[in-house]
């Protein structure tokens, strides 16, 4: 069975980003405080969390006492790396690797492109070394 691509809205990504960066369970209030984004308010996050739960990207870790009530804490069920791999895979399928790389070159300045090309060359060399040692 093929995995369904993960599509996140900007707000969903912002909440996931806070959870990924923190690497600990957080309440909605803590997510809001840690975000540094004044638009990521508690009511906003309270609307986003059910969508992330439905998409099975986060889960309720536990209930903790807060004042006279209980709050849920949340943890991500997907890593940033897995999300990025899915996004890149989806983009490559739509446009192709060459189109993505061409776009990267066009949006960067020459110095950034030099760094990008050096990183790509290093990656290719390392990949070829790994492939040489890995009998298929």
């Amino acid at each position: 069975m093929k995995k369904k691509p993960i599509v996140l809205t900007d707000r969903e990504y912002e909440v996931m980003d806070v959870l990924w960066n923190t690497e600990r369970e957080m309440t909605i209030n803590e997510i809001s405080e840690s975000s540094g984004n004044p638009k990521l308010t508690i009511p906003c996050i309270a609307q986003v969390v059910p969508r992330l739960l439905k998409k099975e990207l986060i889960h309720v870790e536990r209930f903790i006492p807060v004042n006279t009530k209980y709050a849920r804490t949340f943890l991500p069920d997907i890593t940033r790396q897995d999300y990025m791999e899915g996004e890149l895979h989806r983009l490559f399928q739509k446009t192709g690797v060459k189109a993505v790389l061409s776009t990267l070159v066009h949006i960067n300045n020459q110095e950034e492109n030099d760094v990008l090309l050096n990183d790509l060359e290093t990656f290719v060399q390392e990949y070829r070394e790994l492939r040489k040692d890995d009998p298929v």
Side-chain angles (χ1 to χ4, degrees):
M1 188 166 84
K2 192 174 180 180
K3 276 186 10 183
K4 188 177 176 187
I6 299 164
V7 179
L8 295 177
T9 65
D10 290 343
R11 290 286 186 246
E12 290 170 344
Y13 183 84
E14 289 179 80
V15 170
M16 291 301 295
D17 190 49
V18 171
L19 290 169
W20 287 324
N21 287 333
T22 308
E23 298 180 357
R24 69 173 176 83
E25 61 187 274
M26 299 182 82
T27 65
I28 288 174
N29 289 19
E30 291 171 328
I31 293 168
S32 179
E33 292 167 6
S34 296
S35 75
N37 180 349
K39 291 184 179 180
L40 208 57
T41 62
I42 293 167
C44 174
I45 296 167
Q47 288 183 340
V48 170
V49 163
R51 296 194 312 252
L52 293 173
L53 287 166
K54 186 176 180 178
K55 291 179 180 184
E56 298 180 348
L57 300 177
I58 63 172
H59 70 272
V60 176
E61 181 66 10
R62 63 190 173 115
F63 291 86
I64 60 169
V66 176
N67 298 327
T68 59
K69 298 181 180 187
Y70 282 87
R72 298 176 297 173
T73 62
F74 303 95
L75 280 173
D77 286 332
I78 184 172
T79 65
R80 183 189 310 271
Q81 180 72 27
D82 288 340
Y83 171 72
M84 295 301 292
E85 286 174 9
E87 281 291 283
L88 286 173
H89 182 72
R90 190 167 62 96
L91 189 59
F92 288 161
Q93 283 185 322
K94 281 183 172 182
T95 62
V97 174
K98 188 174 180 179
V100 172
L101 291 174
S102 176
T103 302
L104 277 174
V105 168
H106 282 94
I107 63 173
N108 288 332
N109 62 38
Q110 186 169 351
E111 186 177 308
E112 291 168 326
N113 283 333
D114 290 343
V115 171
L116 173 65
L117 291 173
N118 283 334
D119 288 348
L120 283 171
E121 288 171 356
T122 300
F123 173 79
V124 168
Q125 289 172 349
E126 290 171 355
Y127 179 79
R128 286 188 174 145
E129 284 299 314
L130 284 173
R131 292 283 302 187
K132 198 173 11 173
D133 296 337
D134 185 22
V136 179

